[in-house]
Structure formats: structure tokens, C-alpha cells
């Protein structure tokens, strides 16, 4: 009886009922119940996982994934391309505008935002979605006006940004449109107009 008890996983929430009955019964019937309980316990959904170099044993249900397995599953094998890139300097913005005059894509969408702007955060998922839809037709950049270590405030002053969110569209090196406020429909419509492509 003691041998049977030791074979039950120590961290199991509960031994099999037949094993408990066998442990509390005496005689041949008790031994039969204990044996059946042991067999059923062996077939139950438990397994031993060895962790670390110390050989520490732990029990977990079959199909259970350790935190190491979950971390591996959650980690992308390839880093996805960032759809909306940050621009932090005046020269960086100027270079992006110049590129629209000399190659493809010839459309640039610049988002102006701040860290405290609630409507900007509401628009961010939509802008990201649009950047993926128009990935072959337009480049998307984002200027954070109050982000430390950047020239965001200087960019906004030069571009005359007084309210956020604000979206400016450049084509062939020239500013062709400006959309003020969290107006996803107006932004989509203007991008469609200047790229010649429908969002849906």
C-alpha cells in the first residue's frame, strides 16, 4: 500500500478514487482496487517535466505548455516590417519628401501626434491598417511633437501644425492635402485620391 501511494504524482490535485478506496480497504479486494487505481492513474493525463540542470521534477497535464514553450511560440521567427515609421529629424522628413519626387512610391503620408493626444491614439490602428493596404503605393511616417530626443516640435512649427492629429499628404515632392482631426473617412478618401487605388 505504501508503494502504491509513492507512485502517485506528488503534485497531483487528487489521487484516483479507486486508489483511495484500495488504500482504505483491507484484504484481496483492497489490493485489486489499489492495482486498478494505479493502472488508471498511469493512464491519466499527467506527465513529468524535467526543468533546469538540477533535474527538478514537476507534473503537468498532457498538452500543458511550459512558460519556455509559450515564450518560443509567442516569439515571431521573422520581425515584421514596421508599417508606420517614426521620423525624428527635419532632415529625415525632407529626405522622405524628396524621395516621392524621384521614385516609387510617390505618395507620402505624415501623421502628426503627441503622447497625450487621445484622438491620435484612437486613429493609430486605422492609420496602421491604411499603411498595410497602401504599402505599395504610399510611405507612412509619424512625427511625435513632444517626444524627448527628437526634433518633433521643430518639425511641427515648420509645418504649421497647431492641432493634432493632423495628416499631411505629399505627392511628387509637393504637399497636396492636409486632414485635420480624427477623421478616418477623410484620410482614407484623400489617400485613395492621390494613390489612384481603392482601400477596399
Amino acid at each position: 500500500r505504501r508503494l502504491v501511494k509513492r507512485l502517485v504524482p506528488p503534485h497531483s490535485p487528487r489521487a484516483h478514487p479507486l486508489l483511495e478506496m484500495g488504500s482504505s480497504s483491507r484484504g484481496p479486494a483492497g489490493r485489486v482496487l489499489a492495482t486498478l487505481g494505479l493502472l488508471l492513474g498511469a493512464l491519466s493525463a499527467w506527465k513529468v517535466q524535467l526543468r533546469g540542470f538540477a533535474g527538478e521534477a514537476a507534473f503537468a497535464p498532457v498538452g500543458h505548455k511550459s512558460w519556455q514553450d509559450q515564450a518560443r511560440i509567442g516569439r515571431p521567427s521573422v520581425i515584421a516590417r514596421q508599417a508606420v515609421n517614426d521620423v525624428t529629424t527635419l532632415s529625415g522628413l525632407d529626405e522622405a519628401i524628396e524621395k516621392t519626387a524621384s521614385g516609387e512610391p510617390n505618395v507620402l503620408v505624415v501623421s502628426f501626434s503627441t503622447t497625450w493626444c487621445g484622438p491620435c491614439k484612437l486613429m493609430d490602428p486605422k492609420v496602421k491598417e491604411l499603411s498595410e493596404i497602401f504599402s505599395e503605393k504610399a510611405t507612412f511616417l509619424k512625427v511625435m511633437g513632444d517626444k524627448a530626443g527628437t526634433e518633433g516640435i521643430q518639425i511641427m512649427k515648420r509645418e504649421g501644425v497647431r492641432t493634432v492629429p493632423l495628416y499631411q499628404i505629399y505627392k511628387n515632392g509637393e504637399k497636396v492635402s492636409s486632414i485635420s482631426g480624427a477623421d478616418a473617412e477623410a484620410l482614407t478618401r484623400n489617400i485613395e485620391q492621390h494613390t489612384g487605388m481603392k482601400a477596399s
Side-chain angles (χ1 to χ4, degrees):
R1 189 182 308 156
R2 287 193 296 271
L3 176 61
V4 169
K5 287 184 178 180
R6 279 198 297 269
L7 291 174
V8 178
H11 298 289
S12 174
R14 186 177 178 183
H16 195 278
L18 288 178
L19 185 56
E20 292 181 348
M21 291 175 61
S23 299
S24 60
S25 302
R26 297 181 178 178
R31 287 194 293 273
V32 171
L33 289 174
T35 302
L36 289 174
L38 177 60
L39 292 173
L40 291 173
L43 294 174
S44 64
W46 296 87
K47 68 178 180 179
V48 174
Q49 292 180 331
L50 296 179
R51 298 181 188 150
F53 296 102
E56 176 191 356
F59 289 82
V62 171
H64 171 80
K65 293 181 176 62
S66 67
W67 67 268
Q68 295 98 328
D69 293 334
Q70 292 171 353
R72 281 193 291 270
I73 292 172
R75 187 185 306 130
S77 57
V78 178
I79 298 176
R81 182 180 67 85
Q82 189 174 2
V84 182
N85 294 298
D86 292 333
V87 59
T88 60
T89 63
L90 285 162
S91 60
L93 178 60
D94 291 340
E95 182 180 349
I97 295 172
E98 290 172 5
K99 283 183 178 179
T100 65
S102 58
E104 296 291 338
N106 66 335
V107 174
L108 171 67
V109 181
V110 184
S111 305
F112 293 92
S113 179
T114 61
T115 56
W116 48 263
C117 175
C120 302
K121 295 176 182 177
L122 291 176
M123 283 288 291
D124 282 348
K126 181 61 178 179
V127 176
K128 182 178 183 297
E129 178 186 345
L130 290 172
S131 72
E132 293 169 350
I133 294 172
F134 294 96
S135 61
E136 297 182 359
K137 296 288 185 178
T139 301
F140 286 72
L141 297 178
K142 185 175 184 179
V143 177
M144 295 296 290
D146 59 347
K147 189 173 182 179
T150 72
E151 297 178 3
I153 189 67
Q154 290 91 334
I155 295 174
M156 285 191 171
K157 285 181 179 179
R158 191 190 75 175
E159 296 299 315
V161 179
R162 298 181 180 275
T163 60
V164 288
L166 181 75
Y167 305 93
Q168 292 182 349
I169 301 177
Y170 295 83
K171 184 176 183 179
N172 298 326
E174 301 290 335
K175 187 193 305 183
V176 293
S177 186
S178 182
I179 303 95
S180 179
D183 192 338
E185 290 185 3
L187 178 59
T188 303
R189 185 169 60 252
N190 276 269
I191 295 174
E192 289 178 336
Q193 175 186 344
H194 295 296
T195 60
M197 170 184 166
K198 289 293 184 180
S200 58

